[in-house]
Amino acid sequence: MSNRRTKPTLVVAGATGFIGQSLGPILSQDFHLIGLSRSQRDDPGHYAEFRQADLFSLKDTERVLAGADYVVYLVHSMLPSARLVQANFRDLDLVCADNFARAAKMRGVKQIVYLGGLVPDGALSEHLASRVEVENVLMSTGVAVTVLRAGLVVGGSGSSFQILLRLVKRLPVMVCPSWTSTLTQPVCDTDVVKTIAHFCQTPSTESRTYDVACPDALSYRELMRKTAQALGLTRHMIGVPVLTPALSRLWVSMTTGAPKALVQPLIASLRYPMVAHPARALDAESFATVDEMLDQAVAQSRQSNTKPRAFTGAQKTTS
């Protein structure tokens, strides 16, 4: 009990996801760490405890944030939780974020750290627009919010990287539509985790937004080529001038086994350059390069045969 009294309490929403699991070993050193999960968990791992939560319920969200000094919000509704749910992921994101923001205000939370997506200039896909909406909703109650925007987070168990990995593994000859020429600026999962931990350990009373990305931008086609290199494979890539988003979604889903509902918003976003804005970009000198993060992610994927949670069916949250 004395350990709990001397440490501030930090609650992680999305604690069982890709990033949430990696935060446990780091944040548990400085915080009484509570994870939120939709289902009961008997083994908290590095978390001091898990609380079962339904973020679609304001009352339940208020309950699980009791005692929280700080919170990390990693919830993204990419897939419906059941076939009876008629709302799309954007609607679900807004409901959860609004409940969370109001509950955080009511419970006196001092800071929310939110992991969102890089935002290109101009028009946005529905997927990216949803991320911006969540930022705005979390900021709407006056609680200080630190927004960390990232593009493709490269890590062995991440669903986006697994899609990329499976494409490269399964297609010796790759037909590359126009979106594969779009620039992206990925970031290593360990750098994302360290950045989240930094802002939790140095909290702010003001809302701020930062872009988190590796030092260099490259095209998705070059990223696939480098992934093949990390795998020790040779892949031939043929560019095609026209391949509609619907056909791209079908191609990616059939090749990788990822649900169409997961692939569709990701494909729609690939038309837009996902690069860090110079005015918001964090200093990336200490971040892993593209080659380094791919080598690390490929090694991680070889050590685990576990299918990403987002690939297993109609589950609601990913991170």
Side-chain angles (χ1 to χ4, degrees), residues 105-155:
K105 177 69 173 180
M106 195 272 291
R107 288 299 189 183
V109 168
K110 300 171 186 175
Q111 181 188 33
I112 299 171
V113 177
Y114 168 60
L115 179 62
L118 289 178
V119 179
D121 295 327
L124 300 177
S125 69
E126 188 174 17
H127 172 66
L128 297 176
S130 175
R131 298 295 182 256
V132 176
E133 287 177 340
V134 169
E135 292 179 10
N136 293 333
V137 168
L138 291 176
M139 292 180 182
S140 65
T141 64
V143 177
V145 180
T146 299
V147 176
L148 302 176
R149 293 174 173 175
L152 174 62
V153 179
V154 176

Side-chain angles (χ1 to χ4, degrees), residues 29-40:
Q29 300 174 37
D30 298 307
F31 298 95
H32 176 75
L33 196 59
I34 298 172
L36 302 186
S37 174
R38 284 178 296 135
S39 57
Q40 184 65 41

Side-chain angles (χ1 to χ4, degrees), residues 32-291:
H32 176 75
L33 196 59
I34 298 172
L36 302 186
S37 174
R38 284 178 296 135
S39 57
Q40 184 65 41
R41 291 180 65 90
D42 296 325
D43 180 10
H46 289 278
Y47 286 80
E49 61 177 293
F50 262 85
R51 295 176 180 174
Q52 189 172 0
D54 177 7
L55 299 187
F56 290 106
S57 165
L58 176 59
K59 183 177 181 180
D60 206 39
T61 307
E62 290 174 353
R63 176 185 61 81
V64 297
L65 290 185
D69 295 301
Y70 308 102
V71 297
V72 176
Y73 192 75
L74 304 172
V75 178
H76 297 305
S77 304
M78 294 293 292
L79 295 171
S81 58
R83 292 186 180 184
L84 294 177
V85 174
Q86 298 302 309
N88 61 28
F89 71 87
R90 192 167 176 177
D91 300 324
L92 301 176
D93 268 348
L94 281 178
V95 172
C96 291
D98 183 61
N99 284 340
F100 200 87
R102 289 196 282 164
K105 177 69 173 180
M106 195 272 291
R107 288 299 189 183
V109 168
K110 300 171 186 175
Q111 181 188 33
I112 299 171
V113 177
Y114 168 60
L115 179 62
L118 289 178
V119 179
D121 295 327
L124 300 177
S125 69
E126 188 174 17
H127 172 66
L128 297 176
S130 175
R131 298 295 182 256
V132 176
E133 287 177 340
V134 169
E135 292 179 10
N136 293 333
V137 168
L138 291 176
M139 292 180 182
S140 65
T141 64
V143 177
V145 180
T146 299
V147 176
L148 302 176
R149 293 174 173 175
L152 174 62
V153 179
V154 176
S157 58
S159 56
S160 295
F161 175 71
Q162 280 293 324
I163 289 174
L164 172 67
L165 192 69
R166 292 179 183 207
L167 280 175
V168 173
K169 278 185 174 181
R170 297 177 182 183
L171 295 175
V173 178
M174 306 183 70
V175 176
C176 297
S178 58
W179 56 259
T180 61
S181 298
T182 305
L183 289 179
T184 183
Q185 204 165 349
V187 62
C188 185
D189 60 339
T190 55
D191 289 326
V192 171
V193 169
K194 287 188 294 185
T195 302
I196 293 173
H198 167 76
F199 284 106
C200 289
Q201 292 157 347
T202 55
S204 173
T205 57
E206 298 180 355
S207 292
R208 305 167 295 178
T209 300
Y210 300 100
D211 288 358
V212 186
C214 75
D216 301 311
L218 71 169
S219 69
Y220 285 101
R221 188 180 304 188
E222 180 66 9
L223 184 61
M224 290 190 289
R225 187 191 68 78
K226 284 180 173 289
T227 302
Q229 186 176 25
L231 288 164
L233 301 172
T234 300
R235 291 295 180 255
H236 303 284
M237 300 183 185
I238 303 172
V240 293
V242 178
L243 189 59
T244 66
L247 287 175
S248 292
R249 181 185 66 180
L250 181 63
W251 168 59
V252 172
S253 183
M254 289 181 64
T255 303
T256 65
K260 292 186 180 70
L262 172 65
V263 172
Q264 191 276 330
L266 296 177
I267 291 294
S269 301
L270 297 181
R271 297 159 46 202
Y272 306 92
M274 296 290 284
V275 297
H277 192 287
R280 295 189 298 267
L282 290 174
D283 184 1
E285 284 189 8
S286 64
F287 287 0
T289 65
V290 173
D291 289 333

